[in-house]
Amino acid sequence: MAKKETQTSKIKIKKKLWYRILAPQIFGQKEIGETYLSSPEEALGRSMKINLKDLTGNVKDQNIYIDFKVSKVDGSVLKASVKGYQLAATHVKKLVRKNTDRMDDYFVFKSKDGKEIVLKSIIITAHKTQRSVRKQLRTQLKAFFEKELKENDFLTFVNDLVTRKVQAGIRKQLHKVYPLKEATVRMLFIKEQISDKEKNEIKAEEPAPRKEEIKETKKELTLPTEEEAEETEEVAEDLASPEEA
C-alpha cells in the first residue's frame, strides 16, 4: 500500500518579542513602556504620552504630560526622545477664577540647537487689569522665552520646565509689572515632529474668548450715538462761527 505524502507549509511566521522603551537621560532612562513586535524597527516613530508623576514620583507633577517618540533601537531596547510638554486641560480650567484676566499666547522660537519650537503660554493675573498692563506682561513674557531658548537647547529647556526653574524665572520678571496667580508654559513641542492628528487635538483645546474680552472689543468698535454726533457737530459749528462782538 502506497504511503500518503504529507504536505508541509512553507509560510514562515516571524516570532514576536517584548521590547522595553526607555526615557532619555534627563528622566534617568526610566522604563516608560514596552511593546510586542516581530522587529524593533517597527516601533520607530511611534509616539506616547506619559504623566510626569510616573517619571518623577512627585504628586505635584500629576497635571503635566510629556510626549515621547521612539527614535532609536539599541539591541533589544527602544530609546525614546522628548517631543513635547503640556499641561492637562482640566488643570488649566481650574486655574481660571472670577475677577482675573487670562492671557493665552502662541509663539514660535528657534532653540540653541536649531530646532523650531512652538510654545503656548498662559498668564492669569491676581485681579482685573488694564489693557496696557496686559500688553506689558505679554511683551516681557515673549522676551523671556526668546532669551531662554536662544541660550538653551530644547532638552535643557524641558528639564528647566520640569524642575520649575522656568516658572520661577517668569514669576520673578513679571511680578514687577503686576501680581500674578499663574504664569507658565501650557504647551511646548517641536514643530516638525507634530502630526496632523495632534495639530487638530491642540487646536480643539484652544480657549474660547472670555465674555469680558468680547464686551471690551464690542465697546471699542461701538459707533457714536445720534446725540453724541449732534453734540460734536454743534461744537464744530461754534468753533467755525466768529465770536459775537
Side-chain angles (χ1 to χ4, degrees):
M1 188 176 178
K3 291 182 179 180
K4 291 183 179 179
E5 293 183 0
T6 56
Q7 293 181 348
T8 56
S9 177
K10 294 182 180 180
I11 300 172
K12 291 183 179 180
I13 300 172
K14 287 186 177 180
K15 187 179 179 181
K16 289 188 175 182
L17 298 171
W18 284 100
Y19 295 93
R20 294 189 304 144
I21 305 171
L22 303 183
Q25 188 63 45
I26 63 169
F27 295 110
Q29 293 187 332
K30 285 191 175 181
E31 185 175 331
I32 55 176
E34 56 183 356
T35 183
Y36 191 57
L37 300 168
S38 55
S39 171
E41 283 75 17
E42 293 176 17
L44 290 174
R46 289 189 182 182
S47 299
M48 56 196 306
K49 187 180 291 186
I50 305 295
N51 192 291
L52 185 58
K53 176 181 168 289
D54 297 333
L55 297 168
T56 63
N58 190 344
V59 180
K60 293 180 179 179
D61 296 331
Q62 63 184 342
N63 297 312
I64 300 170
Y65 288 88
I66 305 294
D67 289 324
F68 292 98
K69 184 183 79 170
V70 179
S71 56
K72 188 178 178 182
V73 177
D74 187 5
S76 60
V77 174
L78 301 172
K79 292 189 175 182
S81 57
V82 178
K83 190 175 77 170
Y85 167 105
Q86 60 183 303
L87 289 180
T90 52
H91 175 64
V92 174
K93 287 179 182 177
K94 288 178 183 177
L95 293 173
V96 184
R97 292 288 183 269
K98 288 182 179 179
N99 299 320
T100 62
D101 281 321
R102 170 179 175 170
M103 288 161 276
D104 293 86
D105 282 297
Y106 177 101
F107 305 110
V108 179
F109 300 111
K110 269 204 172 183
S111 59
K112 188 179 178 180
D113 52 349
K115 292 178 180 175
E116 197 169 12
I117 309 300
V118 174
L119 187 152
K120 294 188 177 186
S121 64
I122 181 170
I123 299 175
I124 299 174
T125 57
H127 309 284
K128 286 287 184 182
T129 57
Q130 295 179 345
R131 191 194 306 170
S132 58
V133 174
R134 296 197 296 272
K135 184 179 178 181
Q136 193 174 353
L137 287 169
R138 281 174 158 151
T139 301
Q140 291 210 18
L141 184 65
K142 182 181 179 181
F144 176 85
F145 286 138
E146 192 171 15
K147 181 176 179 291
E148 286 293 313
L149 283 164
K150 192 177 285 185
E151 295 176 354
N152 298 293
D153 57 38
F154 175 71
L155 272 181
T156 303
F157 188 77
V158 171
N159 186 61
D160 289 346
L161 273 174
V162 170
T163 56
R164 292 178 172 78
K165 183 180 175 182
V166 169
Q167 292 88 326
I170 294 170
R171 281 181 169 274
K172 185 178 179 181
Q173 183 163 329
L174 299 190
H175 189 75
K176 299 173 185 176
V177 180
Y178 194 87
L180 303 176
K181 183 183 177 184
E182 186 66 67
T184 188
V185 175
R186 188 167 64 88
M187 197 174 292
L188 177 83
F189 54 88
I190 301 172
K191 192 174 183 180
E192 63 181 13
Q193 292 187 9
I194 198 78
S195 65
D196 292 336
K197 182 182 177 182
E198 289 168 323
K199 283 178 183 176
N200 293 332
E201 289 175 356
I202 291 165
K203 193 174 181 181
E205 290 179 2
E206 287 300 314
R210 299 177 69 185
K211 291 181 181 179
E212 294 83 354
E213 292 176 357
I214 295 170
K215 286 179 182 177
E216 188 177 348
T217 305
K218 286 182 178 178
K219 187 178 179 181
E220 290 171 8
L221 298 175
T222 302
L223 295 172
T225 61
E226 290 182 6
E227 293 179 359
E228 290 173 340
E230 287 175 4
E231 287 178 7
T232 305
E233 287 176 4
E234 288 175 5
V235 172
E237 287 175 3
D238 292 341
L239 291 172
S241 61
E243 293 183 0
E244 293 183 2

